[in-house]
Amino acid sequence: MEKHQAVVLGSNYYIGLSTVRCLGKMGVPVTTVDYNQEEAYGSYSKYVTSSLIGPYYKEDPEGFIDYLMAYGKKQERPPVLIPTADPYVEMVDRYWDRLKTVYLLPDIPQGYLSTIVDKDRLYAMMKEGGILVPETLEISEDNLYKKVREELGYPCVVKPVDSHSFVKTFRKKLFKVQNEQELTEAIEKAESRDLKVVVQRIIEGPDTNKYTFDAYVNASGRVSHCSSFHLLRLYPNDYGASVYTEHYYNEDIFDYGKKILEDIGFKGFAELEFKKDENNGRYYLMEINVRIVNFNTLLEKIGLNMPYILYRDLTGNPLPPQEVRETKNRVFWYLYEDLWAVRGYLKSGEWSLKEVLGSLMRPKAPAIFDWKDLRPVLKYNGMMAKKIPKRLFKRNQ
């Protein structure tokens, strides 16, 4: 039994649930922290030692941090703090120096994670290092429409700097615009909600041109554990989250990804998302995620238990380095959202029914289902039984 507590922020989504399972299976005592017990289905896992309900971090950020600090100070040893969703990452990053006095966190400066998440600052940093990123224009630039027309071309996308706030407001990750009028309307929509956006060239190609490099950078600043993956289906289509992803060794991005993370001084877990341009065959860095990712269960299945790797490194007993460079026949599958994704792909013709059915024959790493830990599954299914009819009704209106 491991001695340090792991405090997992957010168990109302399958990323939190998979984090709990990855730690609990290895004998780590796990505490979950949420603000609403009703939807925190991950907290029902048999691997949870204690489940806490604290202040809502958005309504009372100081109260939330005070709550975490008070809990951490009660523990015999400093707990490992693991945020599993972007809003928790932002909150922890904002109070990093304070939280570090009680919790075990990677040795990076306060505010560093926000720099990586902010697309403007990330792209500027990448350009300085000679890393390919999509051509992007600030909406405050002189002659914006002329530059969009000549440098980016239509269609193009209007993307947020703060993805989480944008998705919460508009229920989509970006606006795809076909002409100058639509560009104006998209910018005005974002500005009316005080959301900062940029205009970006579309990297041509289907969703299957997207790949990720997932890695843990240890306390010495070296990539110690890593592999690459191939995104097959996203929801929403084109610019959504991965709902059907395969393990795939992509030698074109493997060492490239390692170098990027080590050069920028990152520490902890990170995922680099690349898209291969259909026209020139080059890989563009689209974004960097700095939390445990959607297909965490797939990472575990191929031998990279990222939450436990992080836990062992931060508690001073790191695991031996491991790079998975051979492709393993396993896919991540989030059944619920993949059903909606497939609906869109069939409609667009990007996937045929035969291709979809064929893809489902492969060994899977499910997002939620686990025979050995059924309580969260039953809780989740109960929630979905209420939500799905409402969603179908809205779609049919």
Side-chain angles (χ1 to χ4, degrees), residues 347-375:
K347 188 175 181 180
S348 68
E350 195 167 323
W351 284 72
S352 69
L353 182 58
K354 183 179 178 180
E355 289 171 330
V356 170
L357 294 176
S359 73
L360 296 178
M361 297 299 107
R362 302 175 65 181
K364 299 178 185 64
I368 294 168
F369 186 80
D370 187 336
W371 277 114
K372 297 179 180 178
D373 189 28
L374 287 175
R375 286 186 67 206

Side-chain angles (χ1 to χ4, degrees), residues 158 166 169-170 172 175 182-195 197:
V158 176
F166 189 93
T169 303
F170 296 111
K172 58 175 67 177
F175 296 130
E182 290 185 9
L183 174 59
T184 300
E185 291 171 355
I187 292 173
E188 289 176 351
K189 278 184 187 177
E191 289 183 334
S192 70
R193 301 298 185 93
D194 294 322
L195 294 171
V197 291

